[in-house]
Short mmCIF file of all heavy atoms in Angstrom, two decimals:
data_model
loop_
_atom_site.label_atom_id
_atom_site.label_comp_id
_atom_site.label_asym_id
_atom_site.label_seq_id
_atom_site.Cartn_x
_atom_site.Cartn_y
_atom_site.Cartn_z
N GLN A 11 -7.12 13.72 -15.44
CA GLN A 11 -7.22 13.23 -16.78
C GLN A 11 -6.84 14.32 -17.79
O GLN A 11 -6.21 14.04 -18.83
CB GLN A 11 -8.60 12.67 -17.09
CG GLN A 11 -8.69 12.00 -18.43
CD GLN A 11 -9.88 11.07 -18.54
OE1 GLN A 11 -10.55 10.78 -17.57
NE2 GLN A 11 -10.08 10.54 -19.73
N VAL A 36 -2.10 5.79 -20.04
CA VAL A 36 -1.74 4.86 -21.13
C VAL A 36 -2.00 5.62 -22.43
O VAL A 36 -3.06 6.19 -22.60
CB VAL A 36 -2.60 3.57 -21.08
CG1 VAL A 36 -2.25 2.67 -22.23
CG2 VAL A 36 -2.33 2.85 -19.74
N ASP A 54 10.02 14.02 -21.43
CA ASP A 54 10.44 15.39 -21.21
C ASP A 54 9.27 16.32 -20.86
O ASP A 54 9.54 17.52 -20.57
CB ASP A 54 11.17 15.94 -22.45
CG ASP A 54 12.53 15.26 -22.63
OD1 ASP A 54 13.02 14.58 -21.69
OD2 ASP A 54 13.08 15.37 -23.75
N LEU A 82 -4.15 -12.76 0.63
CA LEU A 82 -4.47 -13.54 -0.62
C LEU A 82 -5.72 -14.37 -0.50
O LEU A 82 -6.11 -14.95 -1.50
CB LEU A 82 -3.27 -14.43 -0.97
CG LEU A 82 -1.96 -13.71 -1.31
CD1 LEU A 82 -0.83 -14.72 -1.55
CD2 LEU A 82 -2.13 -12.82 -2.52
N ALA A 87 -18.26 -13.86 2.60
CA ALA A 87 -19.69 -13.80 2.11
C ALA A 87 -20.14 -12.36 2.00
O ALA A 87 -19.64 -11.45 2.63
CB ALA A 87 -20.55 -14.54 3.14
N VAL A 118 1.53 3.75 17.77
CA VAL A 118 0.15 3.26 17.75
C VAL A 118 -0.35 3.34 19.16
O VAL A 118 0.16 2.69 20.04
CB VAL A 118 0.05 1.79 17.23
CG1 VAL A 118 -1.37 1.31 17.29
CG2 VAL A 118 0.58 1.73 15.80
N THR A 136 10.19 -0.57 22.23
CA THR A 136 9.70 -0.72 23.57
C THR A 136 8.39 -0.02 23.77
O THR A 136 8.24 1.14 23.40
CB THR A 136 10.77 -0.12 24.58
OG1 THR A 136 11.99 -0.79 24.34
CG2 THR A 136 10.31 -0.31 26.00
N GLY A 137 7.42 -0.73 24.36
CA GLY A 137 6.12 -0.14 24.58
C GLY A 137 6.06 0.70 25.83
O GLY A 137 6.95 0.68 26.66
N ASN A 148 -6.34 -0.88 32.66
CA ASN A 148 -5.01 -0.59 33.15
C ASN A 148 -4.16 -1.87 33.37
O ASN A 148 -4.70 -2.83 33.91
CB ASN A 148 -5.02 0.23 34.42
CG ASN A 148 -5.42 1.66 34.15
OD1 ASN A 148 -5.22 2.17 33.05
ND2 ASN A 148 -5.92 2.36 35.17
N ILE A 156 -3.54 -13.16 27.58
CA ILE A 156 -4.00 -14.39 27.01
C ILE A 156 -4.72 -15.14 28.12
O ILE A 156 -4.18 -15.34 29.17
CB ILE A 156 -2.89 -15.21 26.42
CG1 ILE A 156 -2.20 -14.47 25.28
CG2 ILE A 156 -3.35 -16.59 25.96
CD1 ILE A 156 -1.07 -15.16 24.61
N ARG A 161 -7.60 -15.56 23.44
CA ARG A 161 -7.13 -14.19 23.66
C ARG A 161 -8.27 -13.27 24.18
O ARG A 161 -9.42 -13.47 23.80
CB ARG A 161 -6.60 -13.63 22.35
CG ARG A 161 -5.41 -14.37 21.83
CD ARG A 161 -4.85 -13.67 20.62
NE ARG A 161 -3.83 -14.43 19.96
CZ ARG A 161 -2.57 -14.46 20.35
NH1 ARG A 161 -2.15 -13.77 21.33
NH2 ARG A 161 -1.69 -15.22 19.68
N ALA A 172 -1.65 -2.37 14.98
CA ALA A 172 -0.24 -2.39 14.75
C ALA A 172 0.11 -3.22 13.51
O ALA A 172 1.04 -2.86 12.74
CB ALA A 172 0.49 -2.90 15.98
N THR A 179 5.94 -8.03 6.02
CA THR A 179 5.16 -8.11 4.79
C THR A 179 5.83 -8.99 3.73
O THR A 179 7.07 -9.05 3.68
CB THR A 179 4.93 -6.70 4.21
OG1 THR A 179 4.18 -5.96 5.17
CG2 THR A 179 4.13 -6.70 2.92
N GLY A 182 4.46 -14.59 3.16
CA GLY A 182 3.59 -15.75 3.06
C GLY A 182 2.78 -16.03 4.28
O GLY A 182 2.12 -17.02 4.42
N ARG A 193 9.20 1.05 11.64
CA ARG A 193 9.31 0.39 12.94
C ARG A 193 8.14 0.85 13.80
O ARG A 193 7.77 2.03 13.80
CB ARG A 193 10.62 0.78 13.59
CG ARG A 193 10.97 -0.09 14.73
CD ARG A 193 12.40 0.10 15.12
NE ARG A 193 12.56 -0.49 16.45
CZ ARG A 193 13.40 -0.06 17.32
NH1 ARG A 193 14.17 0.96 17.08
NH2 ARG A 193 13.46 -0.64 18.52
#
Side-chain angles (χ1 to χ4, degrees):
Q11 186 161 352
V36 177
D54 291 345
L82 296 176
V118 176
T136 303
N148 283 338
I156 297 180
R161 297 186 190 276
T179 299
R193 195 166 164 211

